[in-house]
Amino acid sequence: MKKLSYRILIVDDEIGILQLLQDYFEIQGYEVLTAQNGEEAIEKAMEDLDLILLDINLPDIDGLHVCQEIREKIECPILFLTAKIEEQDRINGFLMGGDDYILKPFSIEELGARVMAHIRREKRRQPVKDDQKGFVISYSQRSVFYDGTPITLTKTEFNILELLSMNPGRIFSKEQIYEQVRGIDGTGDNTIITEHIRRIRNKISAYTDREYIKTVWGVGYQWIG
């Protein structure tokens, strides 16, 4: 699988959990860094990261103090992993710069969804510069531009483009796209996705010959921009 453009750091002193999470996120296409203690986490947090999964109960420096140490130097979301948490600890974690808590044991699929949700939210906050050239997506404005000229998309078309572009390299079937953008179980007429993809391509092709959405025959669609 082609790597996503997302890089995450996972910090946990339990080798089994660390390996499980690393395997899961690498299968999803993420680039994964790992650390087993607070000192190592502080060092690796200085890498260019999109998100940090940080266990609170570390053997040397607890996760709350790791968060406090690195927060002023990094801007990416920090999600705490913990088996239990008191209300005051939760408040302290947020005050130190944490963004969310994931309670153990957790569903790995839910964890994956929450990680992606935080990354998407962070990307939406990033402003679009007026001098950006080429194909530009403003997730916060729900707008698409080419060399500063707006490309008009319908709500559904933008939702599809957002889903694919937020997951570069991942292949989505028509059923998966339909479920994600329409918010139902995909039992409706998902063949309309093909028409939406065609319209998106036509609108982009009016400005550039570059292919952004690839058809993987018999499987689905993939963002390659």
Side-chain angles (χ1 to χ4, degrees):
M1 175 183 290
K2 179 182 176 181
K3 288 287 185 183
L4 290 173
S5 56
Y6 305 133
R7 196 179 198 205
I8 66 174
L9 170 64
I10 304 174
V11 185
D12 202 303
D13 64 325
E14 295 185 51
I15 301 301
I17 292 178
L18 193 65
Q19 190 63 58
L20 172 67
L21 295 179
Q22 181 177 6
D23 290 346
Y24 171 77
F25 283 104
E26 285 183 344
I27 288 172
Q28 298 302 312
Y30 291 80
E31 181 179 352
V32 178
L33 303 180
T34 63
Q36 297 180 36
N37 57 61
E39 184 177 351
E40 188 180 5
I42 292 172
E43 178 182 351
K44 291 189 176 180
M46 298 304 104
E47 301 281 348
D48 184 18
L49 300 170
D50 292 291
L51 182 138
I52 298 174
L53 285 174
L54 177 59
D55 185 32
I56 288 182
N57 299 312
L58 298 173
D60 53 350
I61 311 170
D62 70 70
L64 295 177
H65 286 90
V66 170
C67 179
Q68 183 179 37
E69 175 72 22
I70 65 178
R71 178 40 87 195
E72 292 185 358
K73 304 171 186 176
I74 66 169
E75 297 182 356
C76 73
I78 299 175
L79 279 60
F80 291 116
L81 300 174
T82 182
K84 59 181 179 178
I85 188 73
E86 300 294 334
E87 181 179 2
Q88 188 57 50
D89 291 330
R90 188 188 299 268
I91 293 171
N92 290 339
F94 288 132
L95 290 175
M96 290 180 180
D99 295 278
D100 202 355
Y101 278 91
I102 312 294
L103 295 179
K104 299 178 182 178
F106 47 76
S107 159
I108 197 164
E109 294 294 337
E110 179 184 354
L111 174 62
R114 290 174 74 171
V115 165
M116 178 52 67
H118 277 280
I119 291 177
R120 285 179 176 173
R121 188 176 300 117
E122 190 67 19
K123 297 301 180 186
R124 290 190 186 105
R125 291 174 181 168
Q126 297 177 359
V128 176
K129 298 180 181 177
D130 293 337
D131 60 351
Q132 282 190 283
K133 301 299 183 181
F135 187 73
V136 175
I137 304 171
S138 171
Y139 298 104
S140 60
Q141 300 175 25
R142 290 183 60 81
S143 302
V144 179
F145 306 87
Y146 194 85
D147 284 348
T149 301
I151 300 176
T152 303
L153 300 180
T154 66
K155 178 181 178 180
T156 299
E157 288 167 356
F158 185 86
N159 288 345
I160 293 172
L161 183 141
E162 179 183 42
L163 174 67
L164 295 176
S165 63
M166 279 287 190
N167 297 275
R170 180 176 173 182
I171 301 171
F172 288 89
S173 67
K174 288 186 293 185
E175 292 78 9
Q176 289 173 321
I177 296 173
Y178 191 82
E179 179 180 352
Q180 290 287 331
V181 303
R182 302 301 289 269
I184 59 176
D185 61 7
T187 57
D189 184 12
N190 57 63
T191 59
I192 197 173
I193 296 300
T194 302
E195 177 61 17
H196 284 306
I197 295 288
R198 185 189 69 80
R199 292 178 183 176
I200 295 170
R201 283 171 166 163
N202 285 344
K203 291 178 180 181
I204 294 175
S205 67
Y207 297 88
T208 176
D209 293 331
R210 180 174 174 180
E211 180 183 22
Y212 288 90
I213 301 175
K214 177 182 178 181
T215 299
V216 182
W217 296 107
V219 183
Y221 300 98
Q222 178 186 44
W223 185 264
I224 59 172

